[in-house]
Amino acid sequence: MLKTVTVAPSKKKKSWAKWTIHLFPIPALVIYGMFVLYPILAALSYSFFEWKGMSRGDFVGFQNFVTLFTTEPYGSMFWNAFKHNVLYFVVQMVVMNGLALFLAFIIYQKIKGAEFFKAAFFLPRLLSVIVVGFLWKLILNPNFGTLNIILEKIGLESLQRAWLGDPDTALIAIILVNCWFGLGFGVLIFLAGFQSIPGELIEAARLDGAKGFTLMRTIYLPLMVPSITIMGVLTFIQSFEAFELVYAMQGSMGEPYYSTDTLAVFFYRLAFGSSTASGTTAIGLGSALATVLFLFILICTTVFLRFANKKDVQM
């Protein structure tokens, strides 16, 4: 009677198979290093040098950072743009994320057409930001824009505005457009959070007499903290990196009168020139601004995540 002999693979082949797995992330790491890490390190190094056009000059240490904060008009423009980014974040957290949470909860109740509503809310996200910007620029046009025409048709002519030409309404208009654009993503994140809540907990709470706002406060919201944290961090990062939509709707000068200026748009003008009379670049100052913005986002995000994790553990 013949016996089947199993030949064990050699240790060398096992070792090679084990190390082959570690080769797969290399292309992604190379791309990440080329397009993320290298620009960050390059901007950091550029910020310590004097620049004459595109030519690097002498090492000046922290002089570009000092100039950015203390020399006019850079200092006032920086804080003006920073204030707009803060408003960008606050409005998006209240309007976009608040509305997304509400709509996600309604869809979670298994209403008719839930799948249609999910697709409808997410549909704007499939469009390019530049396309969205030009589309809404046409809608908000004071002469032939759809919004002003609708206001006229329903007898609300007093509310008609040059929405993007008025410093009091331009920034809010852009932020609300961004809320419309990002609403669907928030709905999907919050809906996934609601669907991850165990049904047994909800049933037990209802048996104990919890309903309505009490059920939302004691069961839903505490268990939605991870989803709210994710959306809060993403909204914060997106708000302080706001560029494409502002650029598409108002250009690189943050018109009118810098009322829609953001830190990213301000960086673009410094690093790549602007439509001013001189049209000069300030690569050193732009790199200093990019470094400050990167460190600010990194520190605030880290602190927020640690605080949120502690609260989550306590719950």
Side-chain angles (χ1 to χ4, degrees):
M1 185 175 180
L2 297 175
K3 293 184 179 180
T4 303
V5 179
T6 303
V7 179
S10 65
K11 291 184 178 180
K12 188 175 182 180
K13 287 184 178 180
K14 284 185 176 180
S15 178
W16 171 248
K18 179 180 178 181
W19 282 104
T20 301
I21 297 175
H22 297 282
L23 298 177
F24 289 102
I26 291 179
L29 292 175
V30 171
I31 295 174
Y32 182 81
M34 290 175 59
F35 295 101
V36 179
L37 292 181
Y38 174 73
I40 292 173
L41 296 177
L44 178 61
S45 65
Y46 293 166
S47 65
F48 295 114
F49 288 88
E50 180 186 9
W51 288 80
K52 299 176 182 179
M54 299 296 292
S55 301
R56 191 172 71 179
D58 298 330
F59 178 81
V60 293
F62 290 96
Q63 184 58 47
N64 286 321
F65 294 91
V66 174
T67 302
L68 180 65
F69 288 104
T70 62
T71 304
E72 294 299 330
Y74 306 118
S76 59
M77 293 181 72
F78 174 86
W79 292 114
N80 176 63
F82 180 81
K83 177 181 66 176
H84 294 160
N85 282 104
V86 172
L87 181 62
Y88 218 107
F89 171 65
V90 172
V91 174
Q92 284 202 118
M93 281 297 296
V94 175
V95 177
M96 184 181 73
N97 290 344
L99 184 58
L101 183 65
F102 174 72
L103 293 174
F105 183 72
I106 292 178
I107 296 175
Y108 172 67
Q109 302 304 312
K110 298 179 181 179
I111 61 172
K112 290 184 178 180
E115 295 300 322
F116 167 78
F117 286 116
K118 283 193 291 184
F121 291 139
F122 193 76
L123 187 61
R125 192 75 183 186
L126 301 179
L127 299 174
S128 166
V129 181
I130 303 299
V131 172
V132 170
F134 278 107
L135 172 66
W136 276 95
K137 192 173 182 178
L138 294 174
I139 294 174
L140 298 175
N141 187 282
N143 299 318
F144 55 81
T146 306
L147 180 57
N148 278 350
I149 292 175
I150 292 175
L151 291 175
E152 182 181 1
K153 294 294 183 182
I154 61 178
L156 296 176
E157 294 90 343
S158 60
L159 297 180
Q160 290 180 326
R161 295 285 188 279
W163 300 100
L164 298 177
D166 187 345
D168 295 330
T169 59
L171 182 62
I172 292 296
I174 293 175
I175 297 174
L176 292 179
V177 169
N178 198 82
C179 291
W180 171 83
F181 176 70
L183 180 66
F185 182 75
V187 169
L188 292 185
I189 294 294
F190 289 134
L191 182 61
F194 280 122
Q195 291 174 340
S196 66
I197 299 175
E200 297 81 3
L201 289 178
I202 299 173
E203 291 299 324
R206 284 175 176 166
L207 290 175
D208 289 339
K211 58 182 180 179
F213 180 75
T214 303
L215 187 64
M216 175 65 74
R217 180 177 59 84
T218 58
I219 300 297
Y220 285 119
L221 286 181
L223 295 177
M224 284 293 292
V225 167
S227 298
I228 295 173
T229 300
I230 291 172
M231 281 306 301
V233 170
L234 293 177
T235 302
F236 175 79
I237 295 173
Q238 188 272 330
S239 297
F240 277 87
E241 291 182 344
F243 173 77
E244 295 98 332
L245 192 61
V246 179
Y247 184 81
M249 298 181 72
Q250 297 294 79
S252 63
M253 298 301 293
E255 296 289 357
Y257 309 113
Y258 301 108
S259 62
T260 60
D261 205 12
T262 63
L263 291 174
V265 175
F266 183 32
F267 159 77
Y268 178 85
R269 287 200 308 275
L270 287 175
F272 303 108
S274 64
S275 57
T276 59
S278 60
T280 57
T281 60
I283 295 179
L285 287 174
S287 299
L289 174 57
T291 301
V292 170
L293 183 57
F294 171 75
L295 292 177
F296 176 76
I297 294 175
L298 177 64
I299 293 171
C300 290
T301 301
T302 302
V303 171
F304 179 77
L305 286 175
R306 289 200 173 189
F307 175 77
N309 287 336
K310 286 182 180 180
K311 296 291 289 184
D312 193 22
V313 170
Q314 289 175 1
M315 289 180 181

